[in-house]
Amino acid sequence: MAPVIAFKTWGCKLNQAETQDLKEKLFSRFPELILGSIKKPADLYVLNSCAVTQKAEKEVRQTIHSLQRISPQALILVAGCFTSDLRQREKEKVYAWLPNQEKKEWDQFILNILSSCAVTSSRQPEQKNLKKKTRFFLGIQSGCQQYCSYCIVPYLRPDLKNKPIPEVVAEVKKRQKQGFQEVVLTGTNIGNYQDRSSGLIDLLQAILEKTDLPRLRLSSLWPTVISSKLIGLFRVSPRLCPHFHLSIQSASDRILKLMGRSYQRKDLERVVQKIISIPQVNLTADLIVGFPGETEVDFKETYEFIKNHNFLKTHIFRFSPRPGTKAFSLKGSVSSVVKKQRAQKLLALSRKQAMKIKKSYQGETLPILIEGKKQDFWQGFSHNYLRVFLKSQSDLANKIVIVKIKDLKKGFLEGEFLKIEQR
Ligand code: SF4
């Protein structure tokens, strides 16, 4: 009986892209393999871990322990950032540890393990449902040497690797042939993408010129990499999704300096002004609250900055001291109560802003990539990252449809199906 494998991935979009890529490689080379669930017994579990916060580490540990209970005979492979902490490795008994540097051939490593599992498995085959083919996360770059004072990533992913432009273009074409309508370019710090003398803008132009992929989206960007040239390209390329996710972290110059972020609030102002010149563009952002030494005044500066600009969504992280980072030994730690209060204040503001933005789209028409159906409603994301629900008798799965935004109900946008976008 073919072995059963189950996956769990934490953390950044790059981790998600790596696991997705791994699944593709394993199931194409071992088609009879059975895709299991992390909640059920399996022969092999692959955990692609994250260690960016204590919370992420705790979840990985808890998952290892629950799998050891669910399936005592199963092999557990832990890959990714969690593996770089030797203390963790000493504590946890698993079959194999695979640091990021060894992910290059982890498909072969796992196939070797699986070939040894083949004889033992006695489980019932389950339906294999690999990811629906709407949006594909394509890892173009990995590694970071920015050494922001709070971040453990440069110690876990020190090597800078970039996928050459021709390889990315070829992969975009392959994914489009597989039915994907949207590709999200992701990495540890894609703003630093480099292929010899070419950078991120050259890569975008190559994809737009050499493929006819309907939608191309960027994952998180450092504010400082957003140049007028990049904005100019977005203004003339409707296939580039007008949605910018900015890793802002704070808008207090004092805290940004302590974080080792090479920009100030005035730079953020300038960048946001440039971005909002793109029609129908939406902004989302990452923010950290409770950084050591963050006073009420510092927090207020971040709060006011977000308040003065329309952010569709903010991901708010409470500062988590990481051993080995510069910030770990900084004085003035902020209590968890205050961190919670500040996170809740920003979240409340973010929700209010999201409602205002969604309301402003009532009566507008938007292109929506339909991801699936929930009860009677088809649902999907617009090019500018609004989730929209609509009714239609037609099969709209994985179609880009033109929708007129009718209503905002319980925070969700409801639209009227007009037509399928012709390409
Ligand atoms: S840019 Fe800073 S926060 Fe982002 S991965 Fe690199 S060190 Fe970490």
Side-chain angles (χ1 to χ4, degrees):
M1 184 63 66
V4 176
I5 186 169
F7 300 83
K8 170 93 177 153
T9 303
W10 288 267
C12 60
K13 294 236 170 36
L14 181 60
N15 254 15
Q16 313 290 342
E18 288 169 343
T19 304
Q20 186 171 284
D21 192 51
L22 172 68
K23 280 184 185 173
E24 289 255 332
K25 286 183 179 145
L26 291 177
F27 286 106
S28 62
R29 293 176 61 192
F30 196 153
E32 60 280 13
L33 191 57
I34 298 165
L35 179 64
S37 141
I38 207 81
K39 296 195 178 71
K40 294 191 181 145
D43 297 295
L44 175 64
Y45 297 102
V46 178
L47 308 183
N48 193 4
S49 68
C50 170
V52 89
T53 62
Q54 282 163 354
K55 184 165 166 282
E57 281 192 338
K58 191 169 157 218
E59 280 177 23
V60 176
R61 268 198 307 278
Q62 286 169 339
T63 304
I64 293 171
H65 301 158
S66 81
L67 296 177
Q68 286 164 338
R69 281 191 303 277
I70 295 173
S71 226
Q73 307 312 318
L75 307 180
I76 300 174
L77 186 151
V78 182
C81 299
F82 181 86
T83 65
S84 305
D85 186 336
L86 295 178
R87 283 159 309 133
Q88 306 286 8
R89 286 164 72 151
E90 271 140 27
K91 264 190 250 148
E92 306 301 334
K93 297 284 164 281
V94 299
Y95 180 77
W97 299 96
L98 218 66
N100 287 312
Q101 296 87 322
E102 292 168 35
K103 277 183 183 169
K104 238 190 340 280
E105 271 126 32
W106 61 340
D107 52 326
Q108 190 51 56
F109 180 76
I110 292 169
L111 284 168
N112 298 345
I113 299 174
L114 289 167
S115 55
S116 69
C117 279
V119 287
T120 59
S121 177
S122 56
R123 283 167 231 303
Q124 293 317 308
E126 288 174 25
Q127 210 23 261
K128 199 185 313 178
N129 57 357
L130 283 183
K131 196 162 182 5
K132 282 194 288 328
K133 297 185 182 301
T134 48
R135 174 185 307 147
F136 185 84
F137 288 99
L138 204 170
I140 59 170
Q141 174 276 348
S142 69
C144 185
Q145 295 176 348
Q146 211 78 47
Y147 290 96
C148 302
S149 65
Y150 55 84
C151 185
I152 195 80
V153 173
Y155 306 92
L156 304 173
R157 288 182 184 267
D159 314 331
L160 300 181
K161 289 193 210 101
N162 296 280
K163 206 174 262 181
I165 292 182
E167 235 181 271
V168 176
V169 170
E171 181 144 7
V172 168
K173 285 183 177 164
K174 174 181 156 196
R175 299 302 168 188
Q176 202 190 343
K177 264 212 200 87
Q178 290 174 340
F180 288 96
Q181 299 263 29
E182 179 177 314
V183 166
V184 183
L185 301 182
T186 190
T188 312
N189 193 348
I190 61 171
N192 291 350
Y193 175 81
Q194 201 69 38
D195 175 16
R196 288 167 292 171
S197 59
S198 302
L200 184 62
I201 295 175
D202 306 295
L203 172 64
L204 297 176
Q205 281 168 328
I207 296 171
L208 292 171
E209 280 155 24
K210 297 187 176 130
T211 82
D212 55 8
L213 177 80
R215 287 176 32 154
L216 185 57
R217 192 182 297 277
L218 294 179
S219 64
S220 178
L221 281 173
W222 257 60
T224 46
V225 303
I226 298 171
S227 61
S228 302
K229 193 175 172 203
L230 182 67
I231 300 294
L233 184 62
F234 269 77
R235 288 174 61 82
V236 296
S237 318
R239 292 157 60 207
L240 279 175
C241 293
H243 162 220
F244 283 78
H245 185 77
L246 304 179
S247 61
I248 290 178
Q249 311 310 5
S250 172
S252 147
D253 292 349
R254 204 177 67 80
I255 297 296
L256 286 168
K257 193 152 186 266
L258 287 170
M259 286 178 167
R261 306 284 285 183
S262 57
Y263 52 84
Q264 297 185 314
R265 191 171 52 257
K266 65 181 185 325
D267 306 308
L268 293 175
E269 294 282 1
R270 219 183 12 258
V271 164
V272 169
Q273 286 316 318
K274 274 195 263 183
I275 293 173
I276 57 177
S277 72
I278 301 168
Q280 291 196 325
V281 73
N282 272 327
L283 286 164
T284 53
D286 289 338
L287 298 167
I288 295 176
V289 293
F291 188 82
E294 184 187 67
T295 63
E296 270 310 316
V297 174
D298 297 318
F299 172 69
K300 201 151 182 304
E301 284 170 343
T302 300
Y303 186 92
E304 290 304 320
F305 178 80
I306 299 295
K307 193 171 174 206
N308 298 339
H309 304 288
N310 287 326
F311 283 83
L312 177 63
K313 192 176 173 59
T314 54
H315 297 180
I316 302 151
F317 300 90
R318 296 175 206 179
F319 173 75
S320 168
R322 313 300 303 125
T325 62
K326 288 193 207 102
F328 189 71
S329 48
L330 282 178
K331 300 248 172 314
S333 76
V334 176
S335 75
S336 52
V337 175
V338 172
K339 280 183 196 167
K340 190 172 177 189
Q341 285 164 351
R342 289 177 183 168
Q344 285 170 341
K345 268 196 196 139
L346 272 174
L347 191 58
L349 171 66
S350 186
R351 289 205 176 115
K352 227 163 67 193
Q353 285 191 328
M355 291 301 268
K356 207 170 98 200
I357 292 170
K358 289 177 184 175
K359 266 205 190 97
S360 72
Y361 278 90
Q362 279 177 294
E364 298 251 348
T365 58
L366 290 172
I368 312 293
L369 172 53
I370 301 293
E371 292 186 358
K373 203 169 188 182
K374 270 200 180 116
Q375 284 128 22
D376 303 345
F377 285 89
W378 292 101
Q379 58 88 28
F381 280 93
S382 65
H383 60 339
N384 57 359
Y385 214 55
L386 291 162
R387 183 190 281 281
V388 176
F389 292 75
L390 59 138
K391 283 192 175 171
S392 169
Q393 299 309 318
S394 321
D395 173 6
L396 301 180
N398 197 25
K399 302 257 183 344
I400 298 179
V401 297
I402 305 301
V403 167
K404 183 167 181 171
I405 304 299
K406 276 195 318 185
D407 211 346
L408 179 59
K409 285 192 187 133
K410 299 192 187 114
F412 294 103
L413 283 172
E414 193 182 327
E416 179 197 342
F417 170 59
L418 298 180
K419 62 180 177 174
I420 292 177
E421 188 179 75
Q422 300 310 327
R423 301 227 125 243

